[in-house]
Amino acid sequence: MDKNVIIGAMTALITPFKNGKLDEQTYIKLIQRQIAHGIDAVIPVGTTGESATLTHNEHKTCIELAVQTCKNTKVKVLAGAGSNATHEAEDLAKFAQEQGADGILSVTPYYNKPTQTGLFEHYKAIAKSVDIPVLLYNVPSRTACEIATNTAIKLFRECENIYGIKEASGSIDKCVDLLANEPRMIVISGDDAINYPILSNGGKGVISVTSNLLPDKISLLTHQAMEENFKEAKKINDALYQINKILFCESNPIPIKTAMYIAGLIEKLELRLPLCPPSKENFDKIEQTMKKYEIKGF
């Protein structure tokens, strides 16, 4: 299998709710908007999609809807399939493959704090359970668990369908370390504030929160960088700095859902407890920052 499979501008989709339930119609419209504005892949039920508070049925429904909506388009689906229990992650991965997802994104197990040996065995089991590409997801600030460079490289070399890693540690050093030691590995930016530095260092794409709101800008930034038009890419990245910053003023996805609500892209600002709407101060800051950008509708 060609490991260089799912790269480019990718969106970590929000999950819209309406009266406590998954708002399926809005979800479909949001994905169609991503397709229309140049995104290469969508990621249903990642961190931004509130996967931690969805039921398993809701999680699977989101994957189904994403696959159905992207069918017969050039946009790929990289389905969220992570859990703190390996057997649950395997189940989600198998389901994603059965539905026709192009690959899976699997976050490090949260709460358990496994050793590097445990992480290796966890991901090896997930990779063996499916044939589609697997992207590792390193976000230690949320999971209290970090994939060490040597573990990520070992997984890449020993598991045919593990093709790379979404790096959301916020560390440029970690990205340099990975690519210096295994230049064939695909490194994807998982932190909007440093999309350009990662891309200019050899990253092959981004999985963006901001692109829920500004898919056209994130797509342009990513494609310019991947075509080595670094001056133009940096200009776009610099212009996005303020929105990237404000979209993390509270725990993700609180600010991005607030921004989507303000922009009229979702009907209601609903999050699942323990997440809740932002403070009035942050709501106002998000609204003021958004006035500096042209946000395209449906």
Side-chain angles (χ1 to χ4, degrees):
M1 185 197 73
D2 180 4
K3 289 194 173 193
N4 189 354
V5 279
I6 305 172
I7 60 174
M10 299 179 267
T11 300
L13 296 167
I14 66 162
T15 301
F17 300 121
K18 190 173 182 181
N19 302 322
K21 296 181 179 180
L22 174 63
D23 184 350
E24 296 186 14
Q25 291 308 117
T26 298
Y27 195 61
I28 291 167
K29 285 177 65 180
L30 292 176
I31 296 170
Q32 291 171 334
R33 178 173 174 267
Q34 294 292 315
I35 295 167
H37 292 299
I39 287 296
D40 298 306
V42 293
I43 292 85
V45 283
T47 302
T48 307
E50 294 177 79
S51 56
T53 53
L54 296 181
T55 66
H56 274 224
N57 283 340
E58 287 173 329
H59 190 119
K60 290 179 176 180
T61 297
C62 286
I63 292 173
E64 285 182 272
L65 291 173
V67 170
Q68 290 167 10
T69 308
C70 293
K71 192 174 182 180
N72 299 322
T73 76
K74 293 181 180 179
V75 177
K76 294 185 176 183
V77 176
L78 187 63
S83 174
N84 61 337
T86 305
H87 66 90
E88 287 187 0
E90 289 178 278
D91 176 65
L92 291 171
K94 289 174 184 176
F95 178 83
Q97 177 170 281
E98 289 165 4
Q99 293 304 308
D102 299 284
I104 63 163
L105 174 70
S106 193
V107 72
T108 49
Y110 42 89
Y111 192 78
N112 294 328
K113 298 180 76 173
T115 63
Q116 292 301 308
T117 300
L119 273 178
F120 177 81
E121 295 298 335
H122 170 80
Y123 279 117
K124 184 178 177 182
I126 294 168
K128 283 180 68 176
S129 73
V130 292
D131 301 314
I132 55 177
V134 176
L135 187 67
L136 309 175
Y137 179 9
N138 188 44
V139 58
S141 64
R142 298 195 76 120
T143 63
C145 176
E146 178 157 16
I147 308 174
T149 298
N150 59 354
T151 303
I153 291 173
K154 186 180 180 185
L155 284 163
F156 172 80
R157 290 175 177 170
E158 295 190 22
C159 301
E160 184 184 0
N161 55 336
I162 292 179
Y163 74 99
I165 186 167
K166 174 187 174 183
E167 249 306 315
S169 63
S171 170
I172 294 293
D173 181 70
K174 181 68 176 286
C175 297
V176 173
D177 190 16
L178 284 161
L179 289 171
N181 286 285
E182 181 45 271
R184 298 174 303 155
M185 191 169 190
I186 302 300
V187 173
I188 302 293
S189 172
D191 187 340
D192 279 306
I194 54 174
N195 281 341
Y196 172 75
I198 292 176
L199 289 166
S200 62
N201 181 61
K204 297 299 182 185
V206 307
I207 292 179
S208 173
V209 173
T210 301
S211 59
N212 279 282
L213 192 65
L214 296 164
D216 53 326
K217 296 297 185 187
I218 294 295
S219 175
L220 186 59
L221 160 65
T222 306
H223 296 150
Q224 289 287 339
M226 291 177 70
E227 291 166 12
E228 298 187 3
N229 296 324
F230 294 121
K231 188 175 180 180
E232 287 302 311
K234 185 178 186 301
K235 189 185 298 182
I236 300 165
N237 195 74
D238 289 347
L240 291 173
Y241 179 76
Q242 290 185 53
I243 193 74
N244 287 338
K245 199 76 173 171
I246 202 66
L247 289 179
F248 289 89
C249 64
E250 292 190 21
S251 298
N252 181 43
I254 294 170
I256 184 59
K257 272 198 147 178
T258 301
M260 299 287 277
Y261 171 70
I262 293 168
L265 296 169
I266 55 175
E267 186 179 332
K268 291 190 173 185
L269 176 52
E270 283 192 34
L271 299 113
R272 286 266 172 93
L273 285 171
L275 295 182
C276 63
S279 66
K280 184 181 185 308
E281 179 185 5
N282 281 332
F283 186 102
D284 292 342
K285 285 180 179 178
I286 294 166
E287 189 169 35
Q288 288 304 311
T289 303
M290 287 172 61
K291 291 178 181 178
K292 301 173 184 177
Y293 299 88
E294 179 189 355
I295 299 162
K296 295 181 178 179
F298 292 111

